Amino acid sequence: FSEEEATAHHAASTGSRCPFGDGKINPNGSRLPNADLGQNVSAPAGCPMHELEAPTIQGIRGTFERMGFDDREAVCLILLGHQFGRCHAEISGYEHPWYVFDPAHWNAYEHGLGYFSLYSMGVNSGRMRPRVTAQGKRQWEMGLGGGEPFMMLPTDVALWWCPKFREHVKYYDNNRLQFKLDAVVTFKKLVELGCEGMLTEERGGV
């Protein structure tokens, strides 16, 4: 729908304007945290990463709290979304895929490799290294062989920098089946935001 079509459709059933926007402007605020809010310029030298990168960490938490999500749900949604796809330099200034292998294949395993393992094998080990793209964007990369590297946005690495977020990352890495179950519930909660009174009765099970 365009903004006008969505507004007309919504107003016909509720008598009010459309709360969703047209995909470019969301009247209720973005549902995505800013990928990078920079470093805390007041942080002392040698401080922990969760203090140095506090603006981005706080941005993640603030965005999801505004929508009614706690830390676990925020981690769940970011891990879910970033198992797939890639960044496009010509659009965002970031580049390369989050996960260079086929995520549907690797993440079918309940234990072992997969996108989650990039945190323990990449971020925690120091193999995920920062780089500034030609467009001036900070991102983290880890290469395997001669192909494209794995990439992480600052918001991705922030899930490891922040001790509270990290607890949930580690839990889901060790409990892949529970992640899948939680991801279904949390994503459903996300896409139904703002739809109170508009949803039809569900049929069947998850």
Side-chain angles (χ1 to χ4, degrees):
F1 293 116
S2 68
E3 172 72 12
E4 292 76 17
E5 291 170 333
T7 298
H9 178 78
H10 184 71
S13 58
T14 66
S16 61
R17 67 183 301 274
C18 177
F20 306 120
D22 60 2
K24 297 180 181 179
I25 299 175
N26 186 340
N28 294 313
S30 176
R31 296 189 179 190
L32 293 174
N34 193 305
D36 186 7
L37 289 175
Q39 296 180 334
N40 178 8
V41 296
S42 301
C47 69
M49 290 299 289
H50 70 273
E51 295 182 16
L52 182 63
E53 301 287 349
T56 298
I57 294 171
Q58 293 168 359
I60 296 171
R61 184 168 284 118
T63 297
F64 284 103
E65 282 184 349
R66 174 173 54 79
M67 297 186 290
F69 294 101
D70 58 24
D71 282 359
R72 180 190 60 78
E73 292 170 315
V75 169
C76 189
L77 287 171
I78 293 174
L79 291 178
L80 173 65
H82 290 182
Q83 294 183 54
F84 308 97
R86 63 183 299 119
C87 294
H88 301 271
E90 69 276 13
I91 297 175
S92 66
Y94 297 101
E95 55 191 359
H96 304 310
W98 278 281
Y99 191 68
V100 298
F101 300 135
D102 171 20
H105 171 72
W106 286 105
N107 287 313
Y109 297 110
E110 291 187 10
H111 304 286
L113 297 176
Y115 177 72
F116 297 168
S117 64
L118 294 181
Y119 283 92
S120 58
M121 298 173 63
V123 181
N124 186 53
S125 69
R127 295 177 64 191
M128 190 71 72
R129 306 292 296 175
R131 182 177 76 85
V132 178
T133 69
Q135 291 80 7
K137 300 290 188 176
R138 288 196 307 161
Q139 66 181 51
W140 273 252
E141 299 177 0
M142 181 180 76
L144 289 178
E148 282 192 279
F150 299 93
M151 74 82 64
M152 284 189 172
L153 301 171
T155 45
D156 296 313
V157 195
L159 299 187
W160 196 262
W161 290 332
C162 173
K164 293 182 179 179
F165 285 149
R166 188 191 311 142
E167 291 179 8
H168 300 296
V169 174
K170 294 170 72 173
Y171 173 79
Y172 282 136
D173 189 17
N174 294 319
N175 297 273
R176 305 286 180 89
L177 178 59
Q178 188 61 50
F179 168 77
K180 293 178 181 179
L181 296 173
D182 289 352
V184 171
V185 175
T186 308
F187 185 71
K188 179 176 182 291
K189 177 179 175 180
L190 175 68
V191 298
E192 291 183 354
L193 286 176
C195 296
E196 293 79 4
M198 301 171 61
L199 301 174
T200 59
E201 182 179 353
E202 294 185 21
R203 298 179 179 179
V206 174

